[in-house]
Amino acid sequence: MPVKNAMLAIVKHVSEIIEELDESEIDTMIEEIQNANRIFLLGAGRSGLAARAFAMRLVQLGLTAYVVGESVTPAMTNKDLLIAVSGSGETTSVVNAAKIAKGVGSKILTVTSYPKSSLGKISDYIVTVQGRTKIDIERDPLKNQIEGKHASLTPLGTLFEDTVMIFFDGIIARLMIQLHAEEEDLKRRHPTLE
Amino acid sequence: MPVKNAMLAIVKHVSEIIEELDESEIDTMIEEIQNANRIFLLGAGRSGLAARAFAMRLVQLGLTAYVVGESVTPAMTNKDLLIAVSGSGETTSVVNAAKIAKGVGSKILTVTSYPKSSLGKISDYIVTVQGRTKIDIERDPLKNQIEGKHASLTPLGTLFEDTVMIFFDGIIARLMIQLHAEEEDLKRRHPTLE
Amino acid sequence: MPVKNAMLAIVKHVSEIIEELDESEIDTMIEEIQNANRIFLLGAGRSGLAARAFAMRLVQLGLTAYVVGESVTPAMTNKDLLIAVSGSGETTSVVNAAKIAKGVGSKILTVTSYPKSSLGKISDYIVTVQGRTKIDIERDPLKNQIEGKHASLTPLGTLFEDTVMIFFDGIIARLMIQLHAEEEDLKRRHPTLE
Amino acid sequence: MPVKNAMLAIVKHVSEIIEELDESEIDTMIEEIQNANRIFLLGAGRSGLAARAFAMRLVQLGLTAYVVGESVTPAMTNKDLLIAVSGSGETTSVVNAAKIAKGVGSKILTVTSYPKSSLGKISDYIVTVQGRTKIDIERDPLKNQIEGKHASLTPLGTLFEDTVMIFFDGIIARLMIQLHAEEEDLKRRHPTLE
């Protein structure tokens, strides 16, 4: 399978996931981001990278955002919003951190494929972003026959992570409109050193 | 503009960029990854995050990969491949690091929108991934009229970064086939702690 | 209090802590580092930075080391050694991660001020590095009277973290002798790009 | 050489370096930190880790600090202070970043062993922290005879890095007095999640 085909299959899958997003969940997210005093991003592995990419843009929009685990991340309060990203909703380090944040009164917004997961259960708000479902796994266009076996070519959380990356960029587009921010404003706040 | 529309516009744009990818550039990349003793990933900001997401999967495929700037990244040799990611190809820290790597004889493969950039010029191999072009900027479905002005809703490198993320996952799909790796193999190598 | 005095008081305190180190605990650490297939470093906050500084030198010594949370950190096995750093031995994220590592059979070596802590209890080996003790806090040369109150000028884990930084460099000195490594060998393995 | 002896030799060396610090350079640093709108920390490798450890405490003191390369680091202005850490003063990535910061009008304060280095030359303020000097290298208590050769047991920047770590903690002690901050204040601002 050529790389282009694999990419197009990922993109097709992402499009299908987008259609299933719940606009009211998204509206709540937009509102809570604007209501929060400060926004803290939390995620492990590749989900954590999507969270960091989102944090960068939030800062460029003029909002106050932090990434859990970075040096300058301060104490949280009950006026802050924690956005936790975990496909399974069961990543140990993420679930435990969310519990601690909840303990100091921060609101928890979770982006996950499993709203009924451990993480989902303790969250104030949830945005459900499908990853691969059982049906997908059966009719997966990204499955390939290798030595008589079927193997997914978007292993582990790939589809969730790629969709979340684009989802966060969709949120940025909407926030730009609501905050009357233009590209120039983000450019001006782009880190001088990187 | 609702978030879903923004996401679908990003996805449509990514699809267009995919069509313009050069399969022979991609074939070279696949080959050089397999020929390299070790693979070093380099990028700043959000491009750097896409590079790190790729490094994670390469390690899970059983290849030896490092991210420039992380603690355990060793010295490079002339048997190593540096994959540098920069939309503009002019990010100072990336260009300077690539020059140093070239100085020790490492091969440089650059993923950029500008093959004729400073980074492109010193690279052994290039994969051209379009970001927004001038034409795009004029007919951009993600432009929005805000207070009488047009503003892009995929600010700065957004389209490049999102496309590169999916591009790298396409490369992983192809490598899985060539290396006869299945999802189970990646799962087994997934970090125990994260 | 001038900065030099504060520094000399820290150094004096570190010297006292050094005297109390248990050489047999250290011998075990040196042995286990050499026995391990790979060494994984774990720590949060400033303790995590000391752990990373140590990982860098282990790699330069030619050993295989990883830092938990970095992109290229692989799955652990029962032939690996996890070195966990926590002054209190109660840092939630560190304790939980150590439990998971123990579950896959990795050996756990903990550097802590509290060998009877949650982390200490699940560890195979412990190196006790005193931080401030109650006695210290009473006769602390770094206490200063501010507006009628006493305040420690080496707040929180400062003394533990500074001592651990130097402790790890002492371990490196000893490993250099045992591995017949010279400065030149480390220089040769120093990252080309940083 | 037992580990304790190596540690005591490091500590002795750090004490000697402390004596040679210039109090007027330190006074300027304390002043500039308090004058700055925001403080940006910059360093590569182990020097970068010392810089990050310092940033954590500055934030806990209630100051606004950022680490170059982390996700939420914003654009710099001419009201900001960049603190650059480099033993040699020649680390390419650090020198280049300092030049860019200077270009936007930020003040540059450099912590280095070589005030006449490339980094020193473009700095507004310098704090000279000796590392090993030629004299040290000849009468180095940490040299050891290995197979007929002399080898330093505090390889590369070890002494500089350990001294800078303690130097930064001395600066924190002084800032605590000047800002009337007590340990409780730092504890209150300690990250909730780490």
Side-chain angles (χ1 to χ4, degrees), chain C residues 1-8 10-12 14-15 18-23 26 30 44-46 49-50 52-54 56-57 60 91 93 132 142-144 146-147 149-158 161-163 165-174 176-177 180-183 186-187 190 194, chain D residues 1-8 10-12 14-15 18-23 26 30 44-46 49-50 52-54 56-57 60 91 93 132 142-144 146-147 149-158 161-163 165-174 176-177 180-183 186-187 190 194:
Chain C
M1 173 184 269
V3 169
K4 280 189 186 188
N5 292 12
M7 292 178 73
L8 290 171
I10 293 173
V11 159
K12 184 170 170 294
V14 171
S15 305
I18 292 170
E19 297 297 350
E20 291 179 35
L21 287 170
D22 180 335
E23 284 284 1
I26 297 173
I30 295 284
R46 288 168 47 111
L49 297 179
R52 290 173 63 170
F54 187 45
M56 289 181 189
R57 286 281 185 259
Q60 288 166 18
T91 315
S93 60
R132 277 183 304 157
L142 285 162
K143 278 209 174 264
N144 217 62
I146 302 172
E147 296 173 354
K149 290 177 195 171
H150 284 282
S152 167
L153 297 178
T154 50
L156 309 172
T158 299
E161 295 141 12
D162 289 348
T163 308
M165 186 87 177
I166 290 172
F167 167 66
F168 281 148
D169 283 331
I171 296 285
I172 294 299
R174 171 98 161 260
M176 284 179 74
I177 295 173
H180 301 284
E182 294 176 52
E183 188 173 28
L186 282 90
K187 197 171 182 179
H190 190 275
E194 59 173 14
Chain D
M1 173 185 269
V3 169
K4 280 189 188 190
N5 291 14
M7 291 178 73
L8 289 171
I10 293 173
V11 159
K12 186 171 169 293
V14 171
S15 305
I18 291 170
E19 297 297 349
E20 290 179 35
L21 287 170
D22 180 336
E23 283 284 1
I26 297 174
I30 295 284
R46 287 168 47 110
L49 297 179
R52 289 175 62 170
F54 187 44
M56 289 182 189
R57 286 281 185 259
Q60 287 166 18
T91 315
S93 60
R132 278 184 303 156
L142 285 163
K143 280 207 173 267
N144 217 63
I146 302 171
E147 295 173 354
K149 290 178 198 173
H150 283 281
S152 167
L153 296 179
T154 51
L156 309 172
T158 298
E161 295 141 12
D162 289 348
T163 308
M165 186 87 176
I166 290 172
F167 167 65
F168 281 149
D169 282 332
I171 296 285
I172 294 298
R174 172 99 160 258
M176 284 180 74
I177 296 173
H180 301 283
E182 294 176 52
E183 187 172 29
L186 282 90
K187 198 171 182 179
H190 191 274
E194 59 172 15

Side-chain angles (χ1 to χ4, degrees), chain C residues 19-151:
Chain C
E19 297 297 350
E20 291 179 35
L21 287 170
D22 180 335
E23 284 284 1
S24 76
E25 287 181 353
I26 297 173
D27 289 346
T28 303
M29 179 169 176
I30 295 284
E31 232 170 88
E32 291 304 317
I33 285 174
Q34 290 181 93
N35 287 344
N37 187 19
R38 299 172 305 176
I39 302 145
F40 289 69
L41 276 300
L42 171 68
R46 288 168 47 111
S47 292
L49 297 179
R52 290 173 63 170
F54 187 45
M56 289 181 189
R57 286 281 185 259
L58 291 175
V59 168
Q60 288 166 18
L61 270 171
L63 300 171
T64 304
Y66 294 103
V67 174
V68 172
E70 291 193 334
S71 307
V72 301
T73 305
M76 301 182 73
T77 75
N78 61 5
K79 293 180 180 165
D80 296 323
L81 175 67
L82 178 73
I83 300 181
V85 187
S86 169
S88 68
E90 301 294 349
T91 315
T92 315
S93 60
V94 174
V95 176
N96 288 332
K99 280 179 188 165
I100 296 171
K102 199 175 173 66
V104 302
S106 298
K107 289 273 192 307
I108 316 289
L109 184 152
T110 285
V111 179
T112 184
S113 301
Y114 295 94
K116 291 179 183 172
S117 60
S118 303
L119 186 57
K121 276 176 197 158
I122 61 166
S123 299
D124 298 284
Y125 316 108
I126 290 177
V127 175
T128 308
V129 174
Q130 295 301 330
R132 277 183 304 157
T133 62
K134 277 194 183 161
I135 297 160
D136 289 322
I137 290 166
E138 272 158 42
R139 61 163 176 74
D140 192 338
L142 285 162
K143 278 209 174 264
N144 217 62
Q145 211 150 350
I146 302 172
E147 296 173 354
K149 290 177 195 171
H150 284 282

Side-chain angles (χ1 to χ4, degrees), chain D residues 97-111:
Chain D
K99 280 179 188 166
I100 295 172
K102 200 176 173 65
V104 302
S106 298
K107 289 273 192 307
I108 316 290
L109 184 152
T110 284
V111 179

Side-chain angles (χ1 to χ4, degrees), chain A:
Chain A
M1 173 185 269
V3 170
K4 280 189 187 190
N5 292 14
M7 292 178 73
L8 289 170
I10 293 173
V11 160
K12 185 170 169 296
H13 205 291
V14 171
S15 306
E16 288 169 16
I17 298 176
I18 292 170
E19 297 297 350
E20 290 179 37
L21 286 171
D22 180 334
E23 283 283 0
S24 77
E25 287 181 352
I26 296 174
D27 289 344
T28 303
M29 179 169 176
I30 296 284
E31 230 170 273
E32 291 304 317
I33 285 174
Q34 290 181 92
N35 287 343
N37 186 21
R38 300 172 305 177
I39 303 145
F40 289 70
L41 277 299
L42 172 68
R46 287 168 48 109
S47 293
L49 297 178
R52 288 174 64 171
F54 188 43
M56 289 181 190
R57 287 282 185 258
L58 290 176
V59 168
Q60 288 166 18
L61 269 170
L63 299 172
T64 304
Y66 295 103
V67 174
V68 173
E70 291 194 333
S71 307
V72 301
T73 306
M76 302 183 72
T77 75
N78 61 5
K79 294 180 179 166
D80 296 323
L81 175 68
L82 179 74
I83 301 181
V85 187
S86 169
S88 68
E90 302 293 349
T91 315
T92 314
S93 61
V94 174
V95 176
N96 288 332
K99 280 179 188 167
I100 295 172
K102 199 176 173 66
V104 302
S106 297
K107 290 272 194 306
I108 317 290
L109 185 153
T110 284
V111 179
T112 184
S113 301
Y114 295 92
K116 291 179 183 173
S117 59
S118 302
L119 186 57
K121 276 177 197 158
I122 61 165
S123 299
D124 298 284
Y125 317 106
I126 290 176
V127 175
T128 308
V129 174
Q130 295 300 331
R132 278 183 303 158
T133 63
K134 277 192 184 162
I135 298 161
D136 289 323
I137 290 166
E138 272 158 41
R139 61 162 175 75
D140 192 339
L142 286 162
K143 280 209 175 264
N144 217 63
Q145 212 149 349
I146 302 172
E147 294 172 356
K149 290 178 194 171
H150 283 282
S152 167
L153 297 178
T154 50
L156 309 171
T158 299
L159 290 176
F160 174 77
E161 295 141 11
D162 289 348
T163 309
V164 167
M165 186 88 175
I166 289 171
F167 166 65
F168 281 148
D169 283 331
I171 295 285
I172 294 297
R174 171 97 161 260
L175 284 172
M176 284 179 74
I177 296 172
Q178 298 205 205
L179 300 170
H180 301 283
E182 294 177 52
E183 188 174 28
E184 266 314 305
D185 300 314
L186 281 91
K187 198 172 182 180
R188 197 167 28 86
R189 294 199 199 90
H190 190 275
T192 309
L193 308 179
E194 58 172 15

Side-chain angles (χ1 to χ4, degrees), chain D residues 30-89:
Chain D
I30 295 284
E31 232 170 89
E32 291 304 316
I33 285 173
Q34 290 182 91
N35 287 342
N37 187 22
R38 301 173 304 179
I39 302 145
F40 289 69
L41 275 300
L42 172 68
R46 287 168 47 110
S47 293
L49 297 179
R52 289 175 62 170
F54 187 44
M56 289 182 189
R57 286 281 185 259
L58 291 175
V59 168
Q60 287 166 18
L61 270 171
L63 300 172
T64 304
Y66 294 104
V67 174
V68 172
E70 290 194 334
S71 307
V72 301
T73 306
M76 301 183 73
T77 75
N78 60 5
K79 292 179 180 165
D80 297 324
L81 176 68
L82 178 74
I83 300 181
V85 187
S86 169
S88 68

